[in-house]
Each structure stands twice: as structure tokens, then as C-alpha cells.
Amino acid sequence: MSALIEAEHLTRILPAVVPVTLVRDVSLTVGEREFVAITGPSGSGKSSLLYLLGLLDRPTGGTLKVEGRDTSRLDDDALAELRLESLGFVFQFHFLLPEFSVLKNVELPMRKAGRLPASAMRERAAGLLEDLGLAGHLDKRPDQLSGGQRQRVAVARALANDPHVLLADEPTGSLDSQSSEQVFAILQDLVKKRGKTVIAVTHDMGIAARVDRRVHLVDGRVVSDESTAEASA
């Protein structure tokens, strides 16, 4: 199994009169086709770690490789390019642009990458939305959709550039139980049927128990890293 994410001794400290340590000496390797849940109490550094792994923030110390590339050697432009090509993001609050249609929201990462003509972008975006049960909603605005539908649009947008890794920050946290289950099933399907790797921060221990692996944080440190089979044994 090839390593897609390799973190060694990652630390993130917020500078202040009294510095705040968000992530403490975290070493973690995530491979292909893994579904990893990052769990822990509120304030344990879950989202901070996810943002480091997703190149949305830089560590204060330690090293991080994404698909074998040492990100500490990359400038901001190169980091942005690697993030756009290799990583997709889903957040608790979908962050869809309200002035754009559903289809245009999904096209945005492809437009930023600039690799496809307009017709191909439209075709790919429409195909992703159809796969997620949203074929009849392409021209709607986000505010015309339910919360679960908006989150599915966010998943489609995250897949737009066909990244190997999806990072999700509480992707079901703002949804009702039925919509939460639908979104979780989609993420699970991406791993099992499409070969993606998913790293998800979640407070829902029912979901965390059904993924391949659970990484538990306390005070910014990894206190356990085990398969769900091991966790429930």
C-alpha cells in the first residue's frame, strides 16, 4: 500500500504572548484506499491537524510529504498547485458560493486548475452530480437545496479534479440523521468503489466505528491509532 500522506513529528504552535500548541509531535502515515477518522474531545486539535495534512496551514515543526513530495520545500504557489491537484475538501458548512448554480460551483476547482475546456468541465461536473443523485438540480442555487443536498454538491466539488485524497472536517456535523447517513455512505463508497482515501474529522463515534481506522487525539497528541476491528475487540 503506497503512502499518500506521511507526517513526522508535526507541531503547530500559534504565536502569542502565551503560545498555544494546537498539534503536538504527530507522526502519521495514511495509505491508498483508507478511510481514517480523526476523533477527540473539543479543542483536541482535530481540525488543526486536518488543515496541516491538507496543506491549508503550515506546521511550526516536523515534516509532511504528500504523494512523496516534501511540502516543506514548496513555496505558497507550489503548495496551492499540489493542494488543487491531489486533495479535495469537504467542510461541515459546505461553503458553496450562493451566487453560482450548483453546476458552476462544482466547475470551480476545474476552472482554477485550467486543464480542461469549458465543455469538458461541464460534462464532468454534471456527471459527478448525477452520480450523487443531483441530476435534476444542476441549475439551482445552493439555497434552493436541502442541507444534505448541499453537502453532496460539496462532495462533487471536492472530486472535481479527481484527487486521490479527500479531507473532510465534520462533514455530517450539521445534518440530520438521514442526511448524515447518506453523506457517510457516499464517502464510504468513494473508498471502496473508487479507490479514494478519505480522512475525516468527526465527533460522531457511530461513524468513527465504521471506518477502517481511528486516530484519537487529546491535547494535540495522538493517543491511539488503531483499526476499528482492534478498537472494538
Side-chain angles (χ1 to χ4, degrees):
M1 181 177 62
S2 298
L4 297 178
I5 303 287
E6 299 171 89
E8 291 189 8
H9 306 296
L10 280 189
T11 296
R12 179 67 172 103
I13 301 173
L14 287 182
V17 175
V18 179
V20 178
T21 302
L22 303 175
V23 176
R24 301 171 184 266
D25 194 32
V26 169
S27 295
L28 185 69
T29 298
V30 180
E32 296 175 336
R33 304 177 72 99
E34 278 199 275
F35 195 158
V36 180
I38 299 175
T39 63
S42 179
S44 61
K46 302 185 298 296
S47 294
S48 296
L49 175 59
L50 192 78
Y51 290 177
L52 291 175
L53 299 180
L55 308 181
L56 294 171
D57 192 14
R58 284 185 181 268
T60 307
T63 61
L64 174 67
K65 291 182 180 180
V66 175
E67 297 187 333
R69 297 182 67 182
D70 184 350
T71 61
S72 66
R73 301 177 181 273
L74 303 180
D75 61 20
D76 288 345
D77 289 341
L79 277 179
E81 183 177 355
L82 180 59
R83 187 168 58 239
L84 189 63
E85 291 180 352
S86 299
L87 306 172
F89 300 88
V90 181
F91 300 96
Q92 179 175 354
F93 302 103
H94 45 78
F95 297 127
L96 301 176
L97 296 183
E99 67 272 23
F100 287 169
S101 68
V102 163
L103 187 71
K104 295 296 184 187
N105 267 282
V106 177
E107 288 179 352
L108 282 173
M110 291 182 277
R111 292 185 183 277
K112 193 168 184 181
R115 296 195 298 262
L116 297 174
S119 59
M121 288 190 291
R122 180 180 178 85
E123 182 178 355
R124 176 162 175 77
L128 287 168
L129 289 164
E130 182 175 0
D131 288 347
L132 295 175
L134 296 166
H137 303 281
L138 305 190
D139 296 323
K140 291 182 179 179
R141 299 281 191 255
D143 63 3
Q144 295 176 292
L145 304 180
S146 69
Q149 288 171 330
R150 289 194 292 268
Q151 197 64 305
R152 280 185 274 158
V153 175
V155 172
R157 181 183 59 188
L159 293 170
N161 287 328
D162 197 24
H164 294 131
V165 181
L166 263 69
L167 299 109
D169 191 6
E170 298 282 9
T172 63
S174 62
L175 303 178
D176 60 55
S177 58
Q178 182 178 0
S179 297
S180 176
E181 187 61 33
Q182 289 173 344
V183 169
F184 173 73
I186 288 168
L187 295 176
Q188 201 169 42
D189 185 70
L190 291 174
V191 176
K192 291 182 176 180
K193 296 183 180 179
R194 299 197 188 188
K196 302 296 183 184
T197 290
V198 175
I199 304 172
V201 165
T202 184
H203 67 276
D204 187 330
M205 298 309 292
I207 286 177
R210 293 155 60 196
V211 303
D212 301 319
R213 176 178 167 198
R214 186 165 72 226
V215 176
H216 192 70
L217 299 184
V218 175
D219 294 333
R221 296 183 185 276
V222 174
V223 296
S224 65
D225 180 353
E226 54 197 352
S227 74
T228 53
E230 291 169 347
S232 59

